[in-house]
Amino acid sequence: MRTLEGHLAGVSTIAWSPDSNAIASGSDDKTIRLWHRATGKPYPAPLLGHHNYVYSLAFSPKGNMLASGSYDEAVFLWDLRARRQMRSLPAHSDPVGGVDFIRDGTLVCSCSTDGLIRVWDAATGQCLQTIVHEDNAPVTTARFSPNGRYILAFTLDSCIRLWDYVSGTCKKTYQGHINVKYALGGAFGVTGSDAFIASGSETGEIYFWDVKSKDIVQKVSGHQGPVMWVDTCPGQSGTLVSGGLDATVRIWVDVNEDEHDHANGITTGHENNTALQGFVDDNGGMVQVKIENGGYGDDARERMSVDVNGQETPAQYAEESIGGIEPEEMLG
Amino acid sequence: MNLSLVDPFVLAQDYPESTTGSLRSGHATCVRFNRKGDLLATGRVDGTVVIFDVETNGVARKLKGHTRQVQSLSWSRDGRYLLTSSQDWKCNIWDLQDGSILRSVRFETPVYIAELHPWNHLKFVVSLFEDQPLIVDASEPEAAKMNLPSAPKRTQYEEDDTARERQNAQDAKQSTTVATFTASGDHVLSGTNKGWLNIIEVSTRTTIYSTKICTGVVIFLRLTNSGRDMVINAQDRVIRTIQLPNLSAADLDPDTIDIEVEHKFQDVVNRLSWNHVAFSSTGEYVTASTYNNHDIYIWERNHGSLVKILEGPKEEHGVVEWHPHRPLIVACGLESGRIHIWSIIPQQRWSALAPDFAEVEENVEYIEHEDEFDIHPQEEIHKRRLDLEDEDIDVLTVEPVKGEIVDEENSFRMPVELDLNDSESEEEFVAVGRGEMRRKSPTEGRNFGLDGELPGSADEAIKKAKPKTKRR
């Protein structure tokens, strides 16, 4: 296990590059940093430009661009090779909760606590569609479906909605879990030939819905507090990972048929709250859990770490704590 | 996948309207898009090949290996390999997986143009200065070079000796200026300095058909993506388009090949000659850069009419290229070496930002629905809404987009280099202080032994000082 250090304030989001060789992290210190996965070292220059906390990140499928959503209400598109800001999209009137790239990289979606989901043309930077639900509930996370036809949106009215972004209509609403306070996130998954949606709940369970019938197909519990994020392993293995406010990351495997049972691996080591996205490396069975320290008051001080050779990596920045923000503040 | 959301009127426009930007890394002399259209290779005066990412307009890779100006570029079908020819008399095949030189082939004379075989990235055809064109097979590290004929095929031999001798003497003067493979790779099309077009069979390396297409030198040949059409730029200031017969037909009889010029594009008024020509993505349009003029011309091939003269930066343009599937044209400025881009900037639709509003042409009387202000209990609305969601949804199956190149699962994708350290060192501007920049002198970095030289005399120093006082 390796700790990546360099941010001056809490880290709210991380993202894997498509080739799994780099990790991007967005922080409350308003910067985005890129890291070598293999060495754990940061790339020299951080991405500077946001005026407020960076809250969400997404790599383009080719890995040449990065979209970032921030509390400054804008979405930035970055040229990663030059580490240059390509475009700034005047996206929302509230902090941007989530961003995502479509599978062919032509569209970016963003969502915000102002209740809007916007779809952007990545090439021209123009807004192509805005989706809004009548109730205008704050949208905390939005992501494209695996085939790019729909957008899955997590809202603070305890609903997850599947939108057809071309027509702007809601196709499915998934309910049953509780989500009124935190920015929860979930993912699409595949078992056999069927797709499911997995998401955490503030009651501590993980819920699984069938995409077509909207039925809850399974409900598993393991976390002690709200389950902040659930992510699935690419492919059809049905493996997923979850992280909760109880500072644990749990890996779930498909035991028999559709049964997701028993957390078989618990990763702890975070005394603080973790908001996180679990993830699995593309290449082969190696499971890597992407953990984000929620950064609620914790900072670089705690992150003295050891690099590959077991030597202590010198802390590059002053170890001063910049106050993090509680998720409740954002979503309140 | 953005097509379903883009304004159909914008999509209907298939040629560019105005300049939308430019790219710069050194002095570029030639450009070429890859088949997917996400990368643009450019060759520079100093021999460096720079690959731009079309999506980010940033440098994706620099290939260093040539010592003189790059002459031509040619991508392999999968976009992994790039063939470059240069004035240092060499051709290199680059592997873009790691940016290394896969093969380097040296010739006896300067190379005009080198074109890769469409299906074999280790085979290419080169046309050489005052020499026979060659097919080069670089499958082995030691490349095999095979001569191709330049002399046209004569259909009838002259009867008497003097006439035949004269013909032979003429044929000896023929030299190939440009050569390219057909879409199947079974034939080479070549143009000569006497205006002949030859079709050469690759397997036998003999000319199977020849025709005199024009009087002057054939400067350039280019095929459409489908390989069915060809555009020829010649010295006689006429651009010709030709529909090619199916050369890979099984029952092809070389004697029945008949090549006719479909269209002749020229500027009769200004008598312009053309620096470079290119087909549009579908082959529907032909574009050309003009000699001693700043404009880029676009003709359409249905009726053979001029549809657009693109104005842009006040500069003559050399190589011009059309994006493989978008209405986007790039051209190299001859003086500045900058790469100029023309395309379409769609208007932001305001209704996209506010979903409750619709854009209307004129005032529309609003008709109130019968039940518009009926009050229903919240739960009932909610339930009714949920009941409506009974559509069958498929979130997994990817629908193929028509007209796009199918992105094969194992297709090559160039790795993204996040540490292009050398990109800064070649900037033209160097920081001399906080917020102050100065243009790098062209000789900087190339050490010719001048750096150590002291100012020659005292008045030279005075000269340098003078402008400063004037500026104050």
Side-chain angles (χ1 to χ4, degrees), chain A residues 62 64 81 83-84 104 118 121 126-128 130 134 147 149 171-173 212 214, chain B residues 1-2 53 55-56 346 348-349 352-353 385-386 389 391 393-395 397 399 416 418:
Chain A
K62 280 183 195 151
N64 56 351
R81 294 192 188 92
R83 290 198 261 300
R84 171 177 64 89
D104 69 348
R118 291 202 203 269
D121 191 320
Q126 290 183 342
C127 179
L128 293 178
T130 301
E134 277 173 41
N147 65 355
R149 280 284 319 277
K171 292 292 181 196
K172 302 279 173 188
T173 305
K212 283 179 188 155
K214 303 190 284 179
Chain B
M1 301 195 75
N2 56 352
D53 187 325
E55 287 168 4
T56 62
Q348 169 76 57
R349 283 185 305 123
L353 291 164
R385 211 184 274 150
L386 290 179
E389 300 172 353
E391 247 174 285
I393 292 291
D394 184 0
V395 294
T397 321
E399 285 164 36
V416 175
L418 293 179

mmCIF file of all heavy atoms in Angstrom, chain A residues 62 64 81 83-84 104 118 121 126-128 130 134 147 149 171-173 212 214, chain B residues 1-2 53 55-56 346 348-349 352-353 385-386 389 391 393-395 397 399 416 418:
data_model
loop_
_atom_site.group_PDB
_atom_site.id
_atom_site.type_symbol
_atom_site.label_atom_id
_atom_site.label_comp_id
_atom_site.label_asym_id
_atom_site.label_seq_id
_atom_site.Cartn_x
_atom_site.Cartn_y
_atom_site.Cartn_z
ATOM 1 N N LYS A 62 -9.832 8.297 -24.171
ATOM 2 C CA LYS A 62 -8.493 8.169 -24.741
ATOM 3 C C LYS A 62 -7.418 8.534 -23.735
ATOM 4 O O LYS A 62 -6.243 8.277 -23.963
ATOM 5 C CB LYS A 62 -8.355 9.090 -25.946
ATOM 6 C CG LYS A 62 -8.958 8.519 -27.183
ATOM 7 C CD LYS A 62 -8.716 9.454 -28.341
ATOM 8 C CE LYS A 62 -9.627 9.077 -29.478
ATOM 9 N NZ LYS A 62 -9.945 10.235 -30.289
ATOM 10 N N ASN A 64 -6.564 11.594 -23.025
ATOM 11 C CA ASN A 64 -5.875 12.835 -23.370
ATOM 12 C C ASN A 64 -6.498 14.055 -22.714
ATOM 13 O O ASN A 64 -5.888 15.115 -22.684
ATOM 14 C CB ASN A 64 -5.816 13.031 -24.886
ATOM 15 C CG ASN A 64 -7.187 12.993 -25.525
ATOM 16 O OD1 ASN A 64 -8.172 12.658 -24.877
ATOM 17 N ND2 ASN A 64 -7.257 13.335 -26.779
ATOM 18 N N ARG A 81 -1.674 16.376 -21.642
ATOM 19 C CA ARG A 81 -0.277 16.315 -22.049
ATOM 20 C C ARG A 81 0.422 17.625 -21.728
ATOM 21 O O ARG A 81 1.529 17.630 -21.193
ATOM 22 C CB ARG A 81 -0.184 16.048 -23.541
ATOM 23 C CG ARG A 81 -0.699 14.688 -23.936
ATOM 24 C CD ARG A 81 -0.300 14.425 -25.360
ATOM 25 N NE ARG A 81 -0.908 13.216 -25.872
ATOM 26 C CZ ARG A 81 -2.071 13.211 -26.513
ATOM 27 N NH1 ARG A 81 -2.738 14.332 -26.688
ATOM 28 N NH2 ARG A 81 -2.558 12.092 -26.966
ATOM 29 N N ARG A 83 -0.876 19.856 -19.717
ATOM 30 C CA ARG A 83 -1.421 20.309 -18.431
ATOM 31 C C ARG A 83 -1.913 21.749 -18.540
ATOM 32 O O ARG A 83 -1.581 22.611 -17.770
ATOM 33 C CB ARG A 83 -0.396 20.153 -17.329
ATOM 34 C CG ARG A 83 -0.205 18.680 -17.049
ATOM 35 C CD ARG A 83 0.422 18.425 -15.740
ATOM 36 N NE ARG A 83 1.835 18.177 -15.843
ATOM 37 C CZ ARG A 83 2.380 17.190 -16.536
ATOM 38 N NH1 ARG A 83 1.616 16.383 -17.231
ATOM 39 N NH2 ARG A 83 3.659 17.010 -16.542
ATOM 40 N N ARG A 84 -2.737 21.935 -19.553
ATOM 41 C CA ARG A 84 -3.215 23.256 -19.897
ATOM 42 C C ARG A 84 -4.740 23.205 -19.835
ATOM 43 O O ARG A 84 -5.343 22.195 -20.186
ATOM 44 C CB ARG A 84 -2.750 23.554 -21.334
ATOM 45 C CG ARG A 84 -3.282 24.756 -21.988
ATOM 46 C CD ARG A 84 -2.625 24.877 -23.372
ATOM 47 N NE ARG A 84 -2.985 23.767 -24.258
ATOM 48 C CZ ARG A 84 -4.062 23.783 -25.053
ATOM 49 N NH1 ARG A 84 -4.854 24.823 -25.081
ATOM 50 N NH2 ARG A 84 -4.335 22.758 -25.819
ATOM 51 N N ASP A 104 -17.244 7.479 -26.125
ATOM 52 C CA ASP A 104 -16.421 7.851 -27.269
ATOM 53 C C ASP A 104 -15.771 9.236 -27.102
ATOM 54 O O ASP A 104 -15.129 9.734 -28.016
ATOM 55 C CB ASP A 104 -17.214 7.782 -28.575
ATOM 56 C CG ASP A 104 -18.286 8.855 -28.665
ATOM 57 O OD1 ASP A 104 -18.555 9.499 -27.636
ATOM 58 O OD2 ASP A 104 -18.848 9.044 -29.753
ATOM 59 N N ARG A 118 -26.306 18.902 -17.227
ATOM 60 C CA ARG A 118 -26.051 19.465 -18.548
ATOM 61 C C ARG A 118 -25.141 18.543 -19.327
ATOM 62 O O ARG A 118 -24.242 17.913 -18.783
ATOM 63 C CB ARG A 118 -25.396 20.841 -18.436
ATOM 64 C CG ARG A 118 -26.309 21.921 -17.879
ATOM 65 C CD ARG A 118 -25.780 23.273 -18.311
ATOM 66 N NE ARG A 118 -26.220 24.360 -17.443
ATOM 67 C CZ ARG A 118 -27.325 25.077 -17.654
ATOM 68 N NH1 ARG A 118 -28.113 24.795 -18.672
ATOM 69 N NH2 ARG A 118 -27.634 26.068 -16.846
ATOM 70 N N ASP A 121 -20.763 19.391 -25.485
ATOM 71 C CA ASP A 121 -19.957 18.875 -26.586
ATOM 72 C C ASP A 121 -18.496 19.096 -26.218
ATOM 73 O O ASP A 121 -18.055 20.232 -26.037
ATOM 74 C CB ASP A 121 -20.318 19.629 -27.872
ATOM 75 C CG ASP A 121 -19.718 18.981 -29.097
ATOM 76 O OD1 ASP A 121 -18.569 18.535 -29.005
ATOM 77 O OD2 ASP A 121 -20.398 18.913 -30.131
ATOM 78 N N GLN A 126 -19.846 23.571 -26.196
ATOM 79 C CA GLN A 126 -21.194 24.120 -26.127
ATOM 80 C C GLN A 126 -22.115 23.183 -25.362
ATOM 81 O O GLN A 126 -21.944 21.973 -25.387
ATOM 82 C CB GLN A 126 -21.737 24.315 -27.536
ATOM 83 C CG GLN A 126 -21.017 25.434 -28.223
ATOM 84 C CD GLN A 126 -21.586 25.704 -29.579
ATOM 85 O OE1 GLN A 126 -22.276 24.881 -30.143
ATOM 86 N NE2 GLN A 126 -21.275 26.866 -30.105
ATOM 87 N N CYS A 127 -23.107 23.804 -24.736
ATOM 88 C CA CYS A 127 -24.108 23.007 -24.034
ATOM 89 C C CYS A 127 -25.082 22.477 -25.068
ATOM 90 O O CYS A 127 -25.642 23.233 -25.851
ATOM 91 C CB CYS A 127 -24.835 23.863 -23.011
ATOM 92 S SG CYS A 127 -26.112 22.967 -22.131
ATOM 93 N N LEU A 128 -25.281 21.151 -25.091
ATOM 94 C CA LEU A 128 -26.165 20.567 -26.091
ATOM 95 C C LEU A 128 -27.521 20.203 -25.506
ATOM 96 O O LEU A 128 -28.493 20.082 -26.228
ATOM 97 C CB LEU A 128 -25.526 19.309 -26.685
ATOM 98 C CG LEU A 128 -24.271 19.532 -27.518
ATOM 99 C CD1 LEU A 128 -23.727 18.209 -28.006
ATOM 100 C CD2 LEU A 128 -24.555 20.433 -28.698
ATOM 101 N N THR A 130 -29.945 20.249 -21.576
ATOM 102 C CA THR A 130 -30.056 20.402 -20.141
ATOM 103 C C THR A 130 -31.225 19.546 -19.673
ATOM 104 O O THR A 130 -32.293 19.576 -20.278
ATOM 105 C CB THR A 130 -30.298 21.870 -19.759
ATOM 106 O OG1 THR A 130 -29.213 22.634 -20.254
ATOM 107 C CG2 THR A 130 -30.392 22.040 -18.258
ATOM 108 N N GLU A 134 -38.787 17.992 -12.493
ATOM 109 C CA GLU A 134 -39.729 18.999 -11.989
ATOM 110 C C GLU A 134 -39.473 19.366 -10.536
ATOM 111 O O GLU A 134 -39.588 20.522 -10.145
ATOM 112 C CB GLU A 134 -41.159 18.476 -12.128
ATOM 113 C CG GLU A 134 -41.713 18.681 -13.512
ATOM 114 C CD GLU A 134 -43.057 18.014 -13.663
ATOM 115 O OE1 GLU A 134 -43.851 18.104 -12.720
ATOM 116 O OE2 GLU A 134 -43.274 17.391 -14.713
ATOM 117 N N ASN A 147 -23.228 2.103 -22.593
ATOM 118 C CA ASN A 147 -23.314 2.297 -24.038
ATOM 119 C C ASN A 147 -23.477 3.762 -24.424
ATOM 120 O O ASN A 147 -23.551 4.090 -25.601
ATOM 121 C CB ASN A 147 -24.449 1.466 -24.631
ATOM 122 C CG ASN A 147 -25.811 1.912 -24.143
ATOM 123 O OD1 ASN A 147 -25.911 2.787 -23.295
ATOM 124 N ND2 ASN A 147 -26.851 1.315 -24.674
ATOM 125 N N ARG A 149 -26.021 5.773 -24.009
ATOM 126 C CA ARG A 149 -27.352 6.225 -24.425
ATOM 127 C C ARG A 149 -28.071 6.998 -23.313
ATOM 128 O O ARG A 149 -28.960 7.800 -23.582
ATOM 129 C CB ARG A 149 -28.217 5.010 -24.808
ATOM 130 C CG ARG A 149 -27.980 4.434 -26.175
ATOM 131 C CD ARG A 149 -28.600 5.278 -27.277
ATOM 132 N NE ARG A 149 -29.924 5.781 -26.940
ATOM 133 C CZ ARG A 149 -31.044 5.081 -27.086
ATOM 134 N NH1 ARG A 149 -31.008 3.852 -27.540
ATOM 135 N NH2 ARG A 149 -32.211 5.610 -26.786
ATOM 136 N N LYS A 171 -36.451 7.895 -17.909
ATOM 137 C CA LYS A 171 -36.904 6.583 -18.340
ATOM 138 C C LYS A 171 -37.182 5.662 -17.155
ATOM 139 O O LYS A 171 -38.082 4.839 -17.213
ATOM 140 C CB LYS A 171 -35.854 5.940 -19.241
ATOM 141 C CG LYS A 171 -35.692 6.636 -20.577
ATOM 142 C CD LYS A 171 -36.921 6.467 -21.453
ATOM 143 C CE LYS A 171 -36.737 7.145 -22.797
ATOM 144 N NZ LYS A 171 -38.016 7.322 -23.494
ATOM 145 N N LYS A 172 -36.366 5.768 -16.123
ATOM 146 C CA LYS A 172 -36.551 4.873 -14.970
ATOM 147 C C LYS A 172 -36.219 5.651 -13.692
ATOM 148 O O LYS A 172 -35.348 6.518 -13.691
ATOM 149 C CB LYS A 172 -35.594 3.671 -15.044
ATOM 150 C CG LYS A 172 -35.716 2.815 -16.282
ATOM 151 C CD LYS A 172 -36.856 1.835 -16.178
ATOM 152 C CE LYS A 172 -37.041 1.124 -17.517
ATOM 153 N NZ LYS A 172 -38.230 0.303 -17.568
ATOM 154 N N THR A 173 -36.895 5.279 -12.630
ATOM 155 C CA THR A 173 -36.564 5.832 -11.322
ATOM 156 C C THR A 173 -36.331 4.660 -10.375
ATOM 157 O O THR A 173 -37.176 3.773 -10.272
ATOM 158 C CB THR A 173 -37.712 6.702 -10.790
ATOM 159 O OG1 THR A 173 -38.012 7.681 -11.762
ATOM 160 C CG2 THR A 173 -37.309 7.399 -9.505
ATOM 161 N N LYS A 212 -33.963 -2.896 -16.012
ATOM 162 C CA LYS A 212 -35.207 -2.858 -16.783
ATOM 163 C C LYS A 212 -36.432 -2.792 -15.888
ATOM 164 O O LYS A 212 -37.331 -2.001 -16.104
ATOM 165 C CB LYS A 212 -35.278 -4.096 -17.675
ATOM 166 C CG LYS A 212 -34.385 -3.944 -18.890
ATOM 167 C CD LYS A 212 -34.425 -5.171 -19.757
ATOM 168 C CE LYS A 212 -33.368 -5.051 -20.840
ATOM 169 N NZ LYS A 212 -32.932 -6.326 -21.344
ATOM 170 N N LYS A 214 -36.655 -2.135 -12.601
ATOM 171 C CA LYS A 214 -36.545 -1.213 -11.467
ATOM 172 C C LYS A 214 -36.680 -1.914 -10.116
ATOM 173 O O LYS A 214 -36.789 -1.263 -9.084
ATOM 174 C CB LYS A 214 -37.592 -0.084 -11.549
ATOM 175 C CG LYS A 214 -37.543 0.722 -12.813
ATOM 176 C CD LYS A 214 -38.422 1.934 -12.715
ATOM 177 C CE LYS A 214 -39.888 1.557 -12.852
ATOM 178 N NZ LYS A 214 -40.773 2.723 -12.734
ATOM 179 N N MET B 1 -20.856 10.187 -30.569
ATOM 180 C CA MET B 1 -22.201 9.993 -30.039
ATOM 181 C C MET B 1 -22.895 11.325 -29.795
ATOM 182 O O MET B 1 -23.986 11.370 -29.294
ATOM 183 C CB MET B 1 -22.117 9.199 -28.742
ATOM 184 C CG MET B 1 -21.468 7.859 -28.933
ATOM 185 S SD MET B 1 -21.732 6.748 -27.570
ATOM 186 C CE MET B 1 -23.433 6.267 -27.837
ATOM 187 N N ASN B 2 -22.214 12.424 -30.141
ATOM 188 C CA ASN B 2 -22.843 13.721 -29.930
ATOM 189 C C ASN B 2 -23.773 14.066 -31.080
ATOM 190 O O ASN B 2 -24.490 15.054 -31.014
ATOM 191 C CB ASN B 2 -21.779 14.812 -29.782
ATOM 192 C CG ASN B 2 -20.844 14.844 -30.957
ATOM 193 O OD1 ASN B 2 -20.891 13.967 -31.815
ATOM 194 N ND2 ASN B 2 -20.010 15.854 -31.010
ATOM 195 N N ASP B 53 -2.690 16.329 -31.292
ATOM 196 C CA ASP B 53 -3.968 15.745 -30.947
ATOM 197 C C ASP B 53 -5.043 16.712 -31.433
ATOM 198 O O ASP B 53 -5.088 17.860 -30.996
ATOM 199 C CB ASP B 53 -4.046 15.552 -29.429
ATOM 200 C CG ASP B 53 -5.290 14.800 -29.021
ATOM 201 O OD1 ASP B 53 -6.330 15.004 -29.670
ATOM 202 O OD2 ASP B 53 -5.228 14.025 -28.059
ATOM 203 N N GLU B 55 -8.159 16.716 -30.903
ATOM 204 C CA GLU B 55 -9.173 17.039 -29.896
ATOM 205 C C GLU B 55 -8.702 18.142 -28.954
ATOM 206 O O GLU B 55 -9.476 19.015 -28.564
ATOM 207 C CB GLU B 55 -9.514 15.792 -29.075
ATOM 208 C CG GLU B 55 -10.329 14.807 -29.877
ATOM 209 C CD GLU B 55 -10.439 13.459 -29.190
ATOM 210 O OE1 GLU B 55 -9.954 13.317 -28.061
ATOM 211 O OE2 GLU B 55 -11.022 12.560 -29.805
ATOM 212 N N THR B 56 -7.452 18.090 -28.576
ATOM 213 C CA THR B 56 -6.975 19.071 -27.599
ATOM 214 C C THR B 56 -6.182 20.197 -28.251
ATOM 215 O O THR B 56 -5.851 21.164 -27.581
ATOM 216 C CB THR B 56 -6.058 18.403 -26.564
ATOM 217 O OG1 THR B 56 -4.914 17.879 -27.245
ATOM 218 C CG2 THR B 56 -6.754 17.275 -25.847
ATOM 219 N N PRO B 346 -20.531 25.902 -34.586
ATOM 220 C CA PRO B 346 -21.985 25.973 -34.481
ATOM 221 C C PRO B 346 -22.413 27.020 -33.451
ATOM 222 O O PRO B 346 -21.675 27.329 -32.522
ATOM 223 C CB PRO B 346 -22.378 24.561 -34.053
ATOM 224 C CG PRO B 346 -21.157 23.988 -33.421
ATOM 225 C CD PRO B 346 -19.977 24.675 -34.011
ATOM 226 N N GLN B 348 -24.441 28.391 -30.332
ATOM 227 C CA GLN B 348 -25.013 27.814 -29.116
ATOM 228 C C GLN B 348 -26.532 27.961 -29.184
ATOM 229 O O GLN B 348 -27.056 29.054 -29.366
ATOM 230 C CB GLN B 348 -24.464 28.535 -27.894
ATOM 231 C CG GLN B 348 -25.167 28.221 -26.605
ATOM 232 C CD GLN B 348 -24.800 26.857 -26.050
ATOM 233 O OE1 GLN B 348 -23.641 26.547 -25.801
ATOM 234 N NE2 GLN B 348 -25.806 26.015 -25.874
ATOM 235 N N ARG B 349 -27.228 26.848 -29.080
ATOM 236 C CA ARG B 349 -28.698 26.910 -29.040
ATOM 237 C C ARG B 349 -29.107 27.269 -27.617
ATOM 238 O O ARG B 349 -28.762 26.563 -26.672
ATOM 239 C CB ARG B 349 -29.313 25.564 -29.427
ATOM 240 C CG ARG B 349 -29.302 25.293 -30.908
ATOM 241 C CD ARG B 349 -30.022 24.001 -31.223
ATOM 242 N NE ARG B 349 -29.476 22.883 -30.484
ATOM 243 C CZ ARG B 349 -30.176 22.104 -29.667
ATOM 244 N NH1 ARG B 349 -31.451 22.342 -29.465
ATOM 245 N NH2 ARG B 349 -29.596 21.104 -29.035
ATOM 246 N N ALA B 352 -31.011 24.829 -25.428
ATOM 247 C CA ALA B 352 -30.288 23.723 -24.797
ATOM 248 C C ALA B 352 -29.954 24.052 -23.352
ATOM 249 O O ALA B 352 -29.818 23.170 -22.522
ATOM 250 C CB ALA B 352 -29.012 23.420 -25.572
ATOM 251 N N LEU B 353 -29.819 25.324 -23.060
ATOM 252 C CA LEU B 353 -29.473 25.721 -21.704
ATOM 253 C C LEU B 353 -30.700 25.793 -20.795
ATOM 254 O O LEU B 353 -30.605 25.586 -19.593
ATOM 255 C CB LEU B 353 -28.789 27.089 -21.720
ATOM 256 C CG LEU B 353 -27.390 27.117 -22.335
ATOM 257 C CD1 LEU B 353 -26.980 28.532 -22.642
ATOM 258 C CD2 LEU B 353 -26.397 26.464 -21.402
ATOM 259 N N ARG B 385 -46.291 8.987 -12.726
ATOM 260 C CA ARG B 385 -45.035 9.159 -13.429
ATOM 261 C C ARG B 385 -44.221 7.853 -13.435
ATOM 262 O O ARG B 385 -43.687 7.453 -14.447
ATOM 263 C CB ARG B 385 -44.223 10.259 -12.728
ATOM 264 C CG ARG B 385 -43.342 11.032 -13.656
ATOM 265 C CD ARG B 385 -42.519 12.022 -12.873
ATOM 266 N NE ARG B 385 -43.185 13.277 -12.640
ATOM 267 C CZ ARG B 385 -42.958 14.047 -11.569
ATOM 268 N NH1 ARG B 385 -42.117 13.632 -10.632
ATOM 269 N NH2 ARG B 385 -43.558 15.199 -11.428
ATOM 270 N N LEU B 386 -44.205 7.227 -12.278
ATOM 271 C CA LEU B 386 -43.446 5.976 -12.187
ATOM 272 C C LEU B 386 -44.066 4.885 -13.049
ATOM 273 O O LEU B 386 -43.372 4.061 -13.631
ATOM 274 C CB LEU B 386 -43.363 5.515 -10.731
ATOM 275 C CG LEU B 386 -42.502 6.359 -9.815
ATOM 276 C CD1 LEU B 386 -42.529 5.796 -8.409
ATOM 277 C CD2 LEU B 386 -41.070 6.432 -10.317
ATOM 278 N N GLU B 389 -42.973 4.644 -16.621
ATOM 279 C CA GLU B 389 -41.604 4.210 -16.941
ATOM 280 C C GLU B 389 -41.551 2.712 -17.216
ATOM 281 O O GLU B 389 -40.912 1.963 -16.514
ATOM 282 C CB GLU B 389 -40.664 4.547 -15.777
ATOM 283 C CG GLU B 389 -40.607 6.013 -15.467
ATOM 284 C CD GLU B 389 -39.818 6.301 -14.202
ATOM 285 O OE1 GLU B 389 -39.443 5.343 -13.508
ATOM 286 O OE2 GLU B 389 -39.586 7.472 -13.921
ATOM 287 N N GLU B 391 -40.749 1.432 -20.274
ATOM 288 C CA GLU B 391 -40.023 1.165 -21.522
ATOM 289 C C GLU B 391 -38.907 0.154 -21.301
ATOM 290 O O GLU B 391 -38.369 0.046 -20.198
ATOM 291 C CB GLU B 391 -39.419 2.458 -22.035
ATOM 292 C CG GLU B 391 -40.022 2.927 -23.321
ATOM 293 C CD GLU B 391 -39.485 4.285 -23.680
ATOM 294 O OE1 GLU B 391 -39.888 5.287 -23.067
ATOM 295 O OE2 GLU B 391 -38.624 4.342 -24.564
ATOM 296 N N ILE B 393 -35.320 -0.812 -21.553
ATOM 297 C CA ILE B 393 -34.106 -0.011 -21.598
ATOM 298 C C ILE B 393 -32.909 -0.929 -21.749
ATOM 299 O O ILE B 393 -32.799 -1.938 -21.072
ATOM 300 C CB ILE B 393 -33.970 0.797 -20.280
ATOM 301 C CG1 ILE B 393 -35.056 1.849 -20.181
ATOM 302 C CG2 ILE B 393 -32.603 1.413 -20.155
ATOM 303 C CD1 ILE B 393 -34.925 2.971 -21.152
ATOM 304 N N ASP B 394 -32.037 -0.562 -22.656
ATOM 305 C CA ASP B 394 -30.796 -1.315 -22.807
ATOM 306 C C ASP B 394 -29.621 -0.360 -22.582
ATOM 307 O O ASP B 394 -29.441 0.582 -23.338
ATOM 308 C CB ASP B 394 -30.726 -1.912 -24.215
ATOM 309 C CG ASP B 394 -29.502 -2.779 -24.392
ATOM 310 O OD1 ASP B 394 -28.734 -2.907 -23.418
ATOM 311 O OD2 ASP B 394 -29.318 -3.321 -25.486
ATOM 312 N N VAL B 395 -28.893 -0.601 -21.510
ATOM 313 C CA VAL B 395 -27.794 0.302 -21.195
ATOM 314 C C VAL B 395 -26.452 -0.259 -21.644
ATOM 315 O O VAL B 395 -25.426 0.372 -21.454
ATOM 316 C CB VAL B 395 -27.713 0.614 -19.686
ATOM 317 C CG1 VAL B 395 -28.927 1.393 -19.256
ATOM 318 C CG2 VAL B 395 -27.542 -0.640 -18.868
ATOM 319 N N THR B 397 -25.853 -2.431 -24.859
ATOM 320 C CA THR B 397 -25.541 -2.616 -26.266
ATOM 321 C C THR B 397 -25.147 -1.296 -26.909
ATOM 322 O O THR B 397 -25.844 -0.301 -26.784
ATOM 323 C CB THR B 397 -26.759 -3.179 -27.021
ATOM 324 O OG1 THR B 397 -27.384 -4.132 -26.182
ATOM 325 C CG2 THR B 397 -26.335 -3.822 -28.313
ATOM 326 N N GLU B 399 -24.757 0.935 -30.017
ATOM 327 C CA GLU B 399 -25.246 1.017 -31.390
ATOM 328 C C GLU B 399 -24.162 1.610 -32.262
ATOM 329 O O GLU B 399 -23.621 2.660 -31.959
ATOM 330 C CB GLU B 399 -26.499 1.906 -31.448
ATOM 331 C CG GLU B 399 -27.720 1.223 -30.909
ATOM 332 C CD GLU B 399 -28.830 2.219 -30.624
ATOM 333 O OE1 GLU B 399 -28.956 3.188 -31.381
ATOM 334 O OE2 GLU B 399 -29.546 2.018 -29.642
ATOM 335 N N VAL B 416 -0.881 8.011 -24.170
ATOM 336 C CA VAL B 416 -0.833 9.439 -23.833
ATOM 337 C C VAL B 416 0.391 9.675 -22.962
ATOM 338 O O VAL B 416 0.550 9.059 -21.916
ATOM 339 C CB VAL B 416 -2.109 9.857 -23.084
ATOM 340 C CG1 VAL B 416 -2.004 11.295 -22.626
ATOM 341 C CG2 VAL B 416 -3.317 9.679 -23.970
ATOM 342 N N LEU B 418 2.256 11.825 -20.498
ATOM 343 C CA LEU B 418 1.970 12.932 -19.591
ATOM 344 C C LEU B 418 3.222 13.731 -19.256
ATOM 345 O O LEU B 418 3.144 14.763 -18.619
ATOM 346 C CB LEU B 418 1.335 12.396 -18.304
ATOM 347 C CG LEU B 418 -0.049 11.808 -18.499
ATOM 348 C CD1 LEU B 418 -0.588 11.275 -17.200
ATOM 349 C CD2 LEU B 418 -1.000 12.839 -19.054
#
